Amino acid sequence: MLKMKKISTLLLTSVLTLSLAACGSGGGSKDAAQPSAAPANSAAPTSAPASSNPQDDIQPITIKISHVVAENTPKQKGAVAMKDEIEKLSNGKIKVQVFPNSQLFGDKDEYQNLVANNVQFIIPDMAKLVGNDPGFNIPSMPFLFNSDKAAEGFWDGPKGQEIFKKLEKDGVLGMGFWPNGPKQITNNKRPIKAPEDLKGLKFRTQGGQVLEKVYATLGAGSVSIPFNELYTALQQGTVDGEENTFSNIESKKFDEVQKYTTVMGHTRVDYVLLTNTKFWNSLNDATKKIVEAGIKKGTEVARTEANALNEKAYQTLKDRKKTEIYVLSKDEIAKFRDALKPVYDEYTPIIGEDVIKDAMSRE
Ligand code: LMR
């Protein structure tokens, strides 16, 4: 796993090398497992590599990307940008299929299927990875990051990268941080304006001990439910509420089944783009360079789109008028911050004081 800046430099160099090579000035590395596609060329100097066109070395593979959210989200925009870049740079030799909306795998089974290489990329909400390392609770720590940029700085930095590395024992590689953004609270019972308003309500969470603690601290119950079952759970009253980003609330029409929304931004949905080592190690250099360029493009697009899509979705929710929106004032937010301090008391030692300190220092 490389830091984004390093990846950028590496990929820029790689793509330049590929373009130059495509003009006839270079040769690609050959994978012993791949048949040589280069025609014998008697006119070529004897010192020339076996294949003068790196396009010949690109493995004709199909890559599957699976995720659980709708089309109008930063995750889908990033995945499609990744697909387009890979297919463009490989002249269609590498095919990429993107499966949104849990069409291929849902929250419960996407990780195991990644490990088994039934899918080559997934982009889970980190709250769904907390069983692998408590560091994945970082986006669930109340009011920790002030912006997508602050979260990016942390996950691109050494502490964030160390947390991604914890997945390597499963044969899983963290290839990049993709933000979605701050979460807001929705529910069907009453407007939430103060910590006491949550008492006795039951919330769905994405999962994880910290989110459970957040609700318990506020006197509410919580249960983790997969994303693709959430609309029905809200509609049938299995839970009273949930927390999510504007783009997820709007694109899945949760406002149809949630009377109240409170703009709070207390926790975040943040993703890590994951692949598996079985797939990654099967790629030769020429193929890997193109996939890396796709990852770089997808990451850029997801990062650029996240905030804009949330803003747009917020406006759509206001226009649709199905859910009553309440925006907490600074003073009201301060009350929630105070009420949620016990979450830090309990989880700072578990996640690591150095990790929390690094995250808090990001702007
Ligand atoms: C959720 O389950 O609410 C979100 O994590 C879905 C997602 O991937 O954004």
Side-chain angles (χ1 to χ4, degrees):
M1 188 172 46
L2 298 166
K3 286 187 198 170
M4 284 309 300
K5 272 186 196 154
K6 278 192 189 161
I7 290 186
S8 319
T9 319
L10 193 76
L11 294 178
L12 189 63
T13 318
S14 310
V15 173
L16 283 175
T17 310
L18 276 172
S19 331
L20 287 172
C23 296
S25 59
S29 64
K30 292 217 65 71
D31 181 338
Q34 293 299 302
S36 169
N41 182 355
S42 55
T46 47
S47 61
S51 165
S52 60
N53 185 353
Q55 285 282 333
D56 295 338
D57 290 338
I58 297 166
Q59 293 155 287
I61 52 173
T62 299
I63 294 172
K64 291 189 172 81
I65 306 177
S66 171
H67 69 83
V68 300
V69 292
E71 280 87 354
N72 208 13
T73 58
K75 195 144 66 172
Q76 172 74 356
K77 302 270 181 213
V80 169
M82 192 171 148
K83 167 188 164 73
D84 290 348
E85 187 74 355
I86 292 172
E87 291 184 343
K88 184 182 85 188
L89 293 177
S90 69
N91 281 325
K93 212 164 164 187
I94 306 175
K95 306 233 175 318
V96 182
Q97 299 171 335
V98 180
F99 299 91
N101 290 310
S102 309
Q103 275 164 16
L104 192 60
F105 300 116
D107 285 322
K108 280 183 193 156
D109 56 357
E110 66 176 8
Y111 192 81
Q112 297 95 294
N113 278 289
L114 179 74
V115 172
N117 196 28
N118 294 330
V119 59
Q120 287 67 49
F121 289 95
I122 62 170
I123 317 146
D125 178 340
M126 292 190 218
K128 293 164 188 173
L129 297 171
V130 294
N132 300 68
D133 188 81
F136 288 110
N137 279 302
I138 284 283
S140 306
M141 292 300 279
F143 305 105
L144 184 51
F145 295 119
N146 285 329
S147 64
D148 292 353
K149 276 273 161 286
E152 273 172 38
F154 172 79
W155 291 107
D156 287 351
K159 298 289 173 200
Q161 296 290 303
E162 257 172 50
I163 297 169
F164 289 171
K165 275 194 192 302
K166 298 285 169 56
L167 303 174
E168 288 181 11
K169 63 180 181 330
D170 296 339
V172 170
L173 302 172
M175 309 303 288
F177 166 78
W178 290 19
N180 183 322
K183 286 193 265 186
Q184 325 303 342
I185 286 200
T186 68
N187 90 97
N188 227 352
K189 286 278 192 280
R190 51 181 171 257
I192 290 175
K193 301 183 179 176
E196 341 30 296
D197 294 331
L198 280 94
K199 278 208 177 84
L201 300 184
K202 191 171 176 190
F203 286 85
R204 174 270 180 178
T205 71
Q206 285 79 1
Q209 312 92 335
V210 168
L211 287 178
E212 212 178 297
K213 174 78 182 172
V214 164
Y215 285 98
T217 305
L218 299 172
S222 68
V223 58
S224 124
I225 295 175
F227 190 63
N228 62 347
E229 294 169 24
L230 182 51
Y231 184 97
T232 309
L234 296 170
Q235 188 179 40
Q236 295 182 346
T238 315
V239 285
D240 300 310
E242 61 94 50
E243 54 172 62
N244 234 310
T245 60
F246 287 128
S247 62
N248 277 348
I249 296 168
E250 190 279 320
S251 60
K252 284 294 179 189
K253 299 191 166 52
F254 295 150
D255 56 322
E256 287 179 354
V257 286
Q258 294 281 269
K259 289 198 192 104
Y260 307 102
T261 298
T262 298
V263 180
M264 191 150 136
H266 59 306
T267 53
R268 295 179 53 88
V269 169
D270 280 327
Y271 309 119
V272 53
L273 175 71
L274 300 177
T275 190
N276 69 73
T277 44
K278 194 171 170 201
F279 161 71
W280 196 247
N281 296 339
S282 75
L283 303 180
N284 65 23
D285 287 352
T287 310
K288 202 174 267 181
K289 278 173 189 164
I290 288 175
V291 178
E292 281 172 341
I295 290 171
K296 179 175 180 276
K297 188 75 191 174
T299 302
E300 274 168 15
V301 168
R303 290 183 180 196
T304 315
E305 290 282 339
N307 188 46
L309 284 170
N310 275 323
E311 292 285 320
K312 205 167 152 216
Y314 184 26
Q315 191 53 51
T316 307
L317 289 169
K318 286 197 259 189
D319 295 344
R320 263 193 330 227
K321 293 190 173 62
K322 287 195 188 303
T323 185
E324 191 182 303
I325 300 176
Y326 183 77
V327 183
L328 293 178
S329 68
K330 277 198 176 129
D331 287 351
E332 286 165 333
I333 288 197
K335 288 194 179 123
F336 275 97
R337 271 182 196 274
D338 282 351
L340 290 169
K341 273 197 183 123
V343 180
Y344 280 88
D345 298 340
E346 184 171 340
Y347 280 93
T348 301
I350 295 171
I351 294 170
E353 228 160 281
D354 54 332
V355 176
I356 297 289
K357 207 170 146 203
D358 182 309
M360 280 179 165
S361 73
R362 305 284 171 174
E363 283 171 13

